[in-house]
Amino acid sequence: MDDLFAVPRGWLESFGEIVKFCARILGDIASLRVFKYFGEVLRQAGILIVSSTLVIWGLVFIIGLQCGIEGAYFDRSVGVPAYAGVFAAWCDLRELVPLCFGYMMAAKVGTGIVAEIGSMRISDEIDALEVMGISGVTFLCATRLLGSMLVLPFVYLCSIGAGFFASYLAVVQQIGDVSSGGYFLIFWQFQNPPDVLYSLIKAMAMAIVIVLVGCYYGYTATGGPVGVGTATAKSMVFNIVSVHVIGMLGTQLFWGANPRAPIGG
Amino acid sequence: MSFEDSEGTPIAGDLADGSPAAAAGPELTTRPAPPPGASEEEYANHSYKVYPSGRRNVVEFDNTYKSFGRNQILRGLTMGIPEGMVSMILGPSGTGKSVCIKHMVGLLYPDSGDVRVQGESVPDMPDEQLFEMRKKFGLLFQDGALFSSMNLYDNVAFPLRQHTEKSEQEIEEIVMRRLTEVGLGYSRDKLPNELSGGMRKRAGFARALVLEPDILLFDEPDSGLDPVRTALLGELILEIHREMMEDAKAQKKPYLPTFAVVTHDIMSARRVADYINVLWRGRIVEAGPAQDMLNSDNPFIRQFLAGESQGPLTMD
Ligand SMILES: Nc1ncnc2c1ncn2[C@@H]1O[C@H](COP(=O)(O)OP(=O)(O)OP(=O)(O)O)[C@@H](O)[C@H]1O
Ligand SMILES: [Mg+2]
C-alpha cells in the first residue's frame, strides 16, 4: 500500500515546496524588497518585450484566423451566417486567446527562465550572488515576476486585438458571408467590457503561475546540464496543465453561471 | 601592532574546554575518538597537533559534521583560520575543502557542530544577518562562477554597483586596476564563455577582491594556470594582502584582512602561506604556522608537503 501512495505523495510534497517558494517570491514583491533591484526589473521587462511579444501575437493571430474560418462555415451550415461574429467574440476572447497566450508563455518564457536560472544554479552563479550578500530569490525570481507583471497586461491586450483582427480578416475579407457592419454588430452584441477584464485576469493568472513555476524549477535544478534539461521538461508539463486548469476555472467562474449573451432572453 | 595582543590567545587555548580536539599546546593530552563508524587505524596519522599562531581565529570550525546522504565529508572538523594571515587549506582531492569553504559563508549548513565567523555562529544567523555577514567575505569559487550573461567588466563591477554608491568613473578605475593586475585589462568586453578556464579563474579572483572584504577565500585560484602565472598569482596574493594590511592598520579596522587559500600547489603553499591547515578524512591532520608545518615529523604531512607517492596517502 505504501508504494501505491508514494507517487501522489511525492507530487503533493513537491507541490507544497512550490507553494512555499512562490510565497517567498511574492513576499519579496509585497514587501517592496524587490525595488532594491529595480534596474534589473526593467531589464527583465525589456527582454520580455523584445524577445517574446511577436511570437505570442503571431500565435494568437493564427488561432484567430482559424477560429474565424471555422466559425463562418459552421454558421453558414446551420443557416445563420450573419452570426459569425459570435465566434470571434466568444471563442477568441474567452478561450483561445488566453490559451494560446498561456502556451506561448510556457514554451518561450517559462522554459527560458528555467534554463537561465537553472544554468546559473549549476555553475555556482547563484551561490556567487548569495555570497555577495544578494538574495538569489529576490534578484533573479522576484525581478522576473515583477517585470512580467509590468509588461504582460499590455502584451495581452494587444494579443486580443491581434486575434480579433485575424478573425475579422477571415470572416469578412476571406469568406465574406457578412458585411463588415453586420459582423461588428454581432461581435459587439456578444461581449461587454467586463469580458475583456475577465479574459485579462485569466491570462495574468496563467502568466504569474508560469513565471513562478519557471523560477522554481530553475532555482532548484540539480545534477548538471542534464538536470537543467529535466527541470525544463518538468516545468513545461506543469505549466501546460496549469494553463488548462486556470482556463477551465476561469471560464467556470466568469461565464459558467451566466454566459452574458443576448440569447433567448 | 595592537591586534596581536588584543586577544592573542592561541587556537589550542580556545578549544581547551571539553571539545574533542581539546589540546594543550602542540602536545596533545587526550586524543579525540575517531568519528562514528570509523576505526582508530584510519585516523592513525591524524596527530591533531595545532601549533599556536599567536592570533585569534576569525573563522572557527567546532566539531563540525556534514554528510551528503551516506557520504560523510566533514567528520568532526575542528579548525581555525587565524586573523591577518594568509592561510592555506591543503588536502587530498575530494576531502571536502570546497565544502568547508561553503560552510564559512553559510551556503551549506553543518549537520552538527558549529561554524563561527568573527565569533558569531553562522548556522544560527537569521537570513538578514547572514546576508550582512556575507558582505565581509570575498569568495573565488573553484570554477570561477562568473555571471555568464555579463562581460568581464560588468562581472567585476557588479559587487561595487550593488553595494557601494560609487560613481561609474570610480568604479571603472577600481575595476580596471583589478583586471590589469590579473592580466585581463584587454579582455574587459569578453563574455565568460569566450575565455579559457584560467582566464575565468583570474577574473573571478578580481571580482572577489573588488570590495576589499575582511576575509578572502580562494578555492584553488591556481588550478588551470600555467606555472609562471601560478607563481605570479602567489606573489599577487601576498602583495594584495600586504596592501590591505597597511590599509587596515591605517584605518584601525576592528579586523585585519584574512586570506584562506585552498590549493594543491605545494610550491605556492611553501611560498605564500603564513599558516597551513591539512585536511584529510574530514578532520585536520595537523595545523600551524608554515615553518612548523614544513618541519613536521608527521608522515602524512611530510608526504603531502613533499608531494611524494610513498606514504600513508594512496589512490583510494
Ligand atoms: N552538493 C553536494 N551534494 C552531494 N555531495 C557533495 C556535494 N558537494 C560536495 N559533495 C561531495 O563532497 C566531497 C568533497 O567535495 P569537495 O568539493 O569539498 O572536495 P575538495 O576537497 O574541494 O576536492 P578538490 O580538491 O578536488 O576540489 C566529494 O566527495 C563530493 O562528492
Ligand atoms: Mg574543491
Side-chain angles (χ1 to χ4, degrees), chain A residues 24 33 36-37 43 119-120 122-136 139, chain B residues 102 105 107 128 131 134-135 137-139 141 143 145-149 155 158-159 162-163 207:
Chain A
R24 265 173 80 194
R33 260 196 297 273
K36 265 195 295 192
Y37 310 116
R43 202 175 74 87
S119 65
M120 291 186 73
I122 60 164
S123 60
D124 283 345
E125 288 174 45
I126 296 186
D127 284 351
L129 259 187
E130 298 259 329
V131 172
M132 290 176 198
I134 295 170
S135 152
F139 188 81
Chain B
K102 288 185 179 173
V105 290
L107 287 174
E128 294 290 312
F131 279 112
R134 282 174 176 163
K135 291 179 190 165
F137 282 96
L139 170 51
F141 282 82
D143 34 20
L146 297 179
F147 301 121
S148 49
S149 59
N155 257 291
F158 186 84
Q162 294 299 332
H163 291 315
R207 186 178 69 180

Side-chain angles (χ1 to χ4, degrees), chain A residues 20-235:
Chain A
K20 247 191 276 169
F21 183 80
C22 296
R24 265 173 80 194
I25 300 180
L26 293 170
D28 279 345
I29 294 184
S31 66
L32 308 183
R33 260 196 297 273
V34 64
F35 285 92
K36 265 195 295 192
Y37 310 116
F38 197 65
E40 180 67 11
V41 173
L42 293 180
R43 202 175 74 87
Q44 292 299 337
I47 291 174
L48 200 59
I49 292 180
V50 172
S51 66
S52 302
T53 40
L54 278 184
V55 64
I56 291 176
W57 293 343
L59 187 71
V60 172
F61 185 84
I62 292 171
I63 208 77
L65 278 181
Q66 284 176 280
C67 191
I69 295 170
E70 312 274 342
Y73 283 128
F74 175 77
D75 282 348
R76 185 197 280 177
S77 74
V78 297
V80 285
Y83 273 71
V86 177
F87 271 84
W90 278 19
C91 206
D92 282 12
L93 180 61
R94 297 184 181 185
E95 306 301 334
L96 290 181
V97 176
L99 275 186
C100 284
F101 173 79
Y103 291 153
M104 209 27 108
M105 278 294 296
K108 179 84 177 44
V109 179
T111 54
I113 292 177
V114 184
E116 268 170 41
I117 300 185
S119 65
M120 291 186 73
R121 163 61 74 199
I122 60 164
S123 60
D124 283 345
E125 288 174 45
I126 296 186
D127 284 351
L129 259 187
E130 298 259 329
V131 172
M132 290 176 198
I134 295 170
S135 152
V137 171
T138 317
F139 188 81
L140 297 174
C141 304
T143 54
R144 278 178 170 75
L145 184 62
L146 186 61
S148 316
M149 283 158 65
L150 289 181
V151 297
L152 286 179
F154 162 77
V155 172
Y156 183 70
L157 291 177
C158 292
S159 328
I160 296 179
F164 282 168
F165 178 61
S167 293
Y168 171 82
L169 281 185
V171 174
V172 180
Q173 304 295 332
Q174 184 191 344
I175 297 174
D177 281 354
V178 291
S179 67
S180 178
Y183 172 83
F184 278 119
L185 177 71
I186 297 297
F187 177 75
W188 291 120
Q189 252 179 20
F190 275 79
Q191 63 180 304
N192 25 30
D195 285 351
V196 176
L197 179 67
Y198 293 156
S199 173
L200 179 66
I201 292 175
K202 242 183 167 184
M204 285 310 109
M206 289 174 184
I208 289 173
V209 168
I210 287 166
V211 172
L212 286 174
V213 167
C215 289
Y216 172 80
Y217 278 103
Y219 202 80
T220 54
T222 52
V226 179
V228 177
T230 319
T232 310
K234 276 192 199 154
S235 79

Side-chain angles (χ1 to χ4, degrees), chain B residues 199-218:
Chain B
M199 288 162 92
R200 280 200 288 269
K201 242 343 172 0
R202 284 183 276 152
F205 184 85
R207 186 178 69 180
L209 280 176
V210 83
L211 283 176
E212 308 209 343
D214 286 351
I215 309 169
L216 270 157
L217 308 173
F218 304 114

